[in-house]
Amino acid sequence: NAGVTQTPKFRVLKTGQSMTLLCAQDMNHEYMYWYRQDPGMGLRLIHYSVGEGTTAKGEVPDGYNVSRLKKQNFLLGLESAAPSQTSVYFCASRTGGSYNEQFFGPGTRLTVL
Amino acid sequence: EDKVVQSPLSLVVHEGDTVTLNCSYEVTNFRSLLWYKQEKKAPTFLFMLTSSGIEKKSGRLSSILDKKELSSILNITATQTGDSAIYLCAVVWGTSYGKLTFGQGTILTVHP
């Protein structure tokens, strides 16, 4: 049982480049989330999904797109990277309902030059 | 605006001290509150508090939910250097989809 995995672990981009971060979970969870973490800001929700084929905006969605074509995968895309998107990105998943903990992936450290 | 606020933002103590971390929230349709510990990587789950489970304890850590004051505290007794971490509070709220909002976190440093 791998839990929640993220690919890649590190990435450096130049301004304007695009990339996709992959999150995969093998726990058959319904809900999946993408967060970014910046110093002093806690975790801020970018987008989330409550099931295959559905996505919704979180607190800071601008500049990001997501897709959930398969239940086990949640992709986060940056179409035109900006230095302000330099951050650590965490993916998380959990079962449906309100009373279940989230399980986090190990994170992806992204630097945009 | 729905929000979750933690205090203090940082705390420095010595081994053996007792610390209390605070989390307050203003959300619509509160459902549950979670505490996480984050060391160098991903957050790890500590406790979940709900309307039917307002107090939790595990070893030296304990947490209480005050529904009237819309807040929670996390207590750590007899602190150890291994307790040094960021402690995150998160609130599940809203529709049954369970939107989750995190506070800024409290950075705890325990010196030997």
Side-chain angles (χ1 to χ4, degrees), chain A residues 7-29:
Chain A
T7 309
K9 291 186 171 53
F10 303 94
R11 186 73 186 267
V12 178
L13 291 178
K14 294 181 180 178
T15 297
Q17 287 185 317
S18 63
M19 77 162 294
T20 300
L21 280 66
L22 170 63
C23 176
Q25 52 94 5
D26 61 2
M27 297 174 282
N28 202 36
H29 285 168

mmCIF file of all heavy atoms in Angstrom, chain A residues 7-29:
data_model
loop_
_atom_site.group_PDB
_atom_site.id
_atom_site.type_symbol
_atom_site.label_atom_id
_atom_site.label_comp_id
_atom_site.label_asym_id
_atom_site.label_seq_id
_atom_site.Cartn_x
_atom_site.Cartn_y
_atom_site.Cartn_z
ATOM 1 N N THR A 7 4.444 12.988 -7.993
ATOM 2 C CA THR A 7 5.521 13.011 -8.984
ATOM 3 C C THR A 7 5.516 14.356 -9.686
ATOM 4 O O THR A 7 4.451 14.812 -10.117
ATOM 5 C CB THR A 7 5.304 11.909 -10.043
ATOM 6 O OG1 THR A 7 5.078 10.666 -9.379
ATOM 7 C CG2 THR A 7 6.505 11.782 -10.939
ATOM 8 N N PRO A 8 6.658 15.059 -9.836
ATOM 9 C CA PRO A 8 7.976 14.721 -9.298
ATOM 10 C C PRO A 8 8.122 15.202 -7.854
ATOM 11 O O PRO A 8 7.214 15.820 -7.316
ATOM 12 C CB PRO A 8 8.904 15.508 -10.226
ATOM 13 C CG PRO A 8 8.129 16.751 -10.539
ATOM 14 C CD PRO A 8 6.681 16.314 -10.625
ATOM 15 N N LYS A 9 9.265 14.972 -7.254
ATOM 16 C CA LYS A 9 9.553 15.464 -5.907
ATOM 17 C C LYS A 9 10.122 16.878 -5.952
ATOM 18 O O LYS A 9 9.897 17.677 -5.033
ATOM 19 C CB LYS A 9 10.529 14.539 -5.194
ATOM 20 C CG LYS A 9 9.947 13.181 -4.831
ATOM 21 C CD LYS A 9 10.913 12.370 -4.011
ATOM 22 C CE LYS A 9 10.272 11.116 -3.449
ATOM 23 N NZ LYS A 9 9.607 10.284 -4.463
ATOM 24 N N PHE A 10 10.871 17.195 -6.972
ATOM 25 C CA PHE A 10 11.473 18.519 -7.142
ATOM 26 C C PHE A 10 11.362 18.917 -8.606
ATOM 27 O O PHE A 10 11.386 18.068 -9.488
ATOM 28 C CB PHE A 10 12.962 18.526 -6.772
ATOM 29 C CG PHE A 10 13.254 18.061 -5.380
ATOM 30 C CD1 PHE A 10 13.582 16.734 -5.132
ATOM 31 C CD2 PHE A 10 13.224 18.947 -4.323
ATOM 32 C CE1 PHE A 10 13.850 16.292 -3.851
ATOM 33 C CE2 PHE A 10 13.492 18.514 -3.039
ATOM 34 C CZ PHE A 10 13.814 17.190 -2.795
ATOM 35 N N ARG A 11 11.252 20.221 -8.836
ATOM 36 C CA ARG A 11 11.243 20.699 -10.216
ATOM 37 C C ARG A 11 11.628 22.166 -10.231
ATOM 38 O O ARG A 11 11.196 22.942 -9.369
ATOM 39 C CB ARG A 11 9.865 20.511 -10.839
ATOM 40 C CG ARG A 11 9.778 20.850 -12.313
ATOM 41 C CD ARG A 11 10.454 19.807 -13.173
ATOM 42 N NE ARG A 11 10.473 20.217 -14.572
ATOM 43 C CZ ARG A 11 9.550 19.880 -15.468
ATOM 44 N NH1 ARG A 11 8.529 19.146 -15.118
ATOM 45 N NH2 ARG A 11 9.666 20.301 -16.705
ATOM 46 N N VAL A 12 12.420 22.534 -11.232
ATOM 47 C CA VAL A 12 12.762 23.937 -11.447
ATOM 48 C C VAL A 12 12.257 24.323 -12.835
ATOM 49 O O VAL A 12 12.556 23.645 -13.814
ATOM 50 C CB VAL A 12 14.282 24.177 -11.340
ATOM 51 C CG1 VAL A 12 14.593 25.645 -11.615
ATOM 52 C CG2 VAL A 12 14.801 23.771 -9.965
ATOM 53 N N LEU A 13 11.496 25.383 -12.906
ATOM 54 C CA LEU A 13 10.950 25.869 -14.167
ATOM 55 C C LEU A 13 11.418 27.290 -14.426
ATOM 56 O O LEU A 13 11.735 28.024 -13.483
ATOM 57 C CB LEU A 13 9.416 25.888 -14.120
ATOM 58 C CG LEU A 13 8.648 24.591 -14.091
ATOM 59 C CD1 LEU A 13 7.149 24.890 -14.002
ATOM 60 C CD2 LEU A 13 8.944 23.759 -15.319
ATOM 61 N N LYS A 14 11.376 27.660 -15.691
ATOM 62 C CA LYS A 14 11.575 29.068 -16.043
ATOM 63 C C LYS A 14 10.203 29.713 -16.210
ATOM 64 O O LYS A 14 9.218 29.041 -16.552
ATOM 65 C CB LYS A 14 12.366 29.177 -17.335
ATOM 66 C CG LYS A 14 13.804 28.671 -17.206
ATOM 67 C CD LYS A 14 14.548 28.832 -18.516
ATOM 68 C CE LYS A 14 15.992 28.331 -18.379
ATOM 69 N NZ LYS A 14 16.739 28.433 -19.656
ATOM 70 N N THR A 15 10.144 31.003 -15.965
ATOM 71 C CA THR A 15 8.879 31.729 -16.125
ATOM 72 C C THR A 15 8.294 31.469 -17.509
ATOM 73 O O THR A 15 8.999 31.558 -18.512
ATOM 74 C CB THR A 15 9.111 33.236 -15.922
ATOM 75 O OG1 THR A 15 9.563 33.462 -14.583
ATOM 76 C CG2 THR A 15 7.842 34.018 -16.159
ATOM 77 N N GLY A 16 6.992 31.133 -17.523
ATOM 78 C CA GLY A 16 6.315 30.894 -18.784
ATOM 79 C C GLY A 16 6.233 29.429 -19.192
ATOM 80 O O GLY A 16 5.416 29.069 -20.045
ATOM 81 N N GLN A 17 7.048 28.575 -18.583
ATOM 82 C CA GLN A 17 6.990 27.156 -18.908
ATOM 83 C C GLN A 17 5.755 26.526 -18.271
ATOM 84 O O GLN A 17 5.166 27.073 -17.343
ATOM 85 C CB GLN A 17 8.254 26.436 -18.421
ATOM 86 C CG GLN A 17 9.485 26.745 -19.236
ATOM 87 C CD GLN A 17 10.688 25.929 -18.799
ATOM 88 O OE1 GLN A 17 10.949 25.758 -17.607
ATOM 89 N NE2 GLN A 17 11.434 25.421 -19.776
ATOM 90 N N SER A 18 5.405 25.363 -18.787
ATOM 91 C CA SER A 18 4.249 24.646 -18.241
ATOM 92 C C SER A 18 4.705 23.312 -17.661
ATOM 93 O O SER A 18 5.779 22.801 -18.021
ATOM 94 C CB SER A 18 3.204 24.408 -19.328
ATOM 95 O OG SER A 18 3.743 23.581 -20.340
ATOM 96 N N MET A 19 3.891 22.783 -16.761
ATOM 97 C CA MET A 19 4.184 21.472 -16.218
ATOM 98 C C MET A 19 2.935 20.891 -15.551
ATOM 99 O O MET A 19 1.973 21.621 -15.284
ATOM 100 C CB MET A 19 5.321 21.512 -15.202
ATOM 101 C CG MET A 19 4.965 22.026 -13.844
ATOM 102 S SD MET A 19 6.198 21.570 -12.588
ATOM 103 C CE MET A 19 6.025 19.794 -12.552
ATOM 104 N N THR A 20 2.984 19.592 -15.324
ATOM 105 C CA THR A 20 1.897 18.894 -14.654
ATOM 106 C C THR A 20 2.450 18.109 -13.482
ATOM 107 O O THR A 20 3.444 17.397 -13.623
ATOM 108 C CB THR A 20 1.178 17.930 -15.622
ATOM 109 O OG1 THR A 20 0.651 18.675 -16.711
ATOM 110 C CG2 THR A 20 0.043 17.210 -14.901
ATOM 111 N N LEU A 21 1.802 18.256 -12.329
ATOM 112 C CA LEU A 21 2.130 17.471 -11.147
ATOM 113 C C LEU A 21 1.105 16.350 -11.035
ATOM 114 O O LEU A 21 -0.102 16.582 -11.175
ATOM 115 C CB LEU A 21 2.068 18.324 -9.876
ATOM 116 C CG LEU A 21 3.252 19.229 -9.555
ATOM 117 C CD1 LEU A 21 3.399 20.332 -10.585
ATOM 118 C CD2 LEU A 21 3.093 19.833 -8.165
ATOM 119 N N LEU A 22 1.612 15.146 -10.759
ATOM 120 C CA LEU A 22 0.728 13.997 -10.668
ATOM 121 C C LEU A 22 0.587 13.549 -9.222
ATOM 122 O O LEU A 22 1.574 13.435 -8.498
ATOM 123 C CB LEU A 22 1.265 12.833 -11.497
ATOM 124 C CG LEU A 22 0.568 11.483 -11.311
ATOM 125 C CD1 LEU A 22 -0.892 11.558 -11.752
ATOM 126 C CD2 LEU A 22 1.316 10.390 -12.055
ATOM 127 N N CYS A 23 -0.637 13.305 -8.812
ATOM 128 C CA CYS A 23 -0.927 12.732 -7.508
ATOM 129 C C CYS A 23 -1.665 11.421 -7.728
ATOM 130 O O CYS A 23 -2.627 11.376 -8.501
ATOM 131 C CB CYS A 23 -1.786 13.677 -6.675
ATOM 132 S SG CYS A 23 -2.300 12.991 -5.085
ATOM 133 N N ALA A 24 -1.230 10.380 -7.048
ATOM 134 C CA ALA A 24 -1.891 9.082 -7.158
ATOM 135 C C ALA A 24 -2.130 8.511 -5.768
ATOM 136 O O ALA A 24 -1.275 8.628 -4.891
ATOM 137 C CB ALA A 24 -1.027 8.122 -7.977
ATOM 138 N N GLN A 25 -3.316 7.900 -5.587
ATOM 139 C CA GLN A 25 -3.621 7.250 -4.304
ATOM 140 C C GLN A 25 -4.214 5.867 -4.578
ATOM 141 O O GLN A 25 -4.954 5.676 -5.533
ATOM 142 C CB GLN A 25 -4.567 8.114 -3.447
ATOM 143 C CG GLN A 25 -5.823 8.580 -4.141
ATOM 144 C CD GLN A 25 -7.035 7.704 -3.956
ATOM 145 O OE1 GLN A 25 -6.999 6.715 -3.198
ATOM 146 N NE2 GLN A 25 -8.127 8.041 -4.632
ATOM 147 N N ASP A 26 -3.851 4.925 -3.714
ATOM 148 C CA ASP A 26 -4.307 3.542 -3.890
ATOM 149 C C ASP A 26 -5.244 3.119 -2.766
ATOM 150 O O ASP A 26 -5.354 1.926 -2.459
ATOM 151 C CB ASP A 26 -3.106 2.601 -3.995
ATOM 152 C CG ASP A 26 -2.228 2.610 -2.756
ATOM 153 O OD1 ASP A 26 -2.573 3.327 -1.781
ATOM 154 O OD2 ASP A 26 -1.186 1.928 -2.766
ATOM 155 N N MET A 27 -5.922 4.070 -2.142
ATOM 156 C CA MET A 27 -6.810 3.777 -1.010
ATOM 157 C C MET A 27 -8.285 3.866 -1.399
ATOM 158 O O MET A 27 -9.161 3.834 -0.532
ATOM 159 C CB MET A 27 -6.490 4.755 0.134
ATOM 160 C CG MET A 27 -5.074 4.580 0.666
ATOM 161 S SD MET A 27 -4.611 5.819 1.896
ATOM 162 C CE MET A 27 -4.260 7.226 0.831
ATOM 163 N N ASN A 28 -8.551 4.030 -2.688
ATOM 164 C CA ASN A 28 -9.917 4.112 -3.194
ATOM 165 C C ASN A 28 -10.681 5.305 -2.591
ATOM 166 O O ASN A 28 -11.895 5.231 -2.380
ATOM 167 C CB ASN A 28 -10.692 2.813 -2.933
ATOM 168 C CG ASN A 28 -11.877 2.666 -3.877
ATOM 169 O OD1 ASN A 28 -11.815 3.055 -5.044
ATOM 170 N ND2 ASN A 28 -12.971 2.105 -3.377
ATOM 171 N N HIS A 29 -9.959 6.384 -2.325
ATOM 172 C CA HIS A 29 -10.589 7.562 -1.725
ATOM 173 C C HIS A 29 -11.391 8.344 -2.757
ATOM 174 O O HIS A 29 -10.989 8.484 -3.906
ATOM 175 C CB HIS A 29 -9.533 8.474 -1.111
ATOM 176 C CG HIS A 29 -8.990 7.949 0.179
ATOM 177 N ND1 HIS A 29 -7.867 8.472 0.775
ATOM 178 C CD2 HIS A 29 -9.439 6.974 1.002
ATOM 179 C CE1 HIS A 29 -7.631 7.821 1.917
ATOM 180 N NE2 HIS A 29 -8.583 6.912 2.060
#
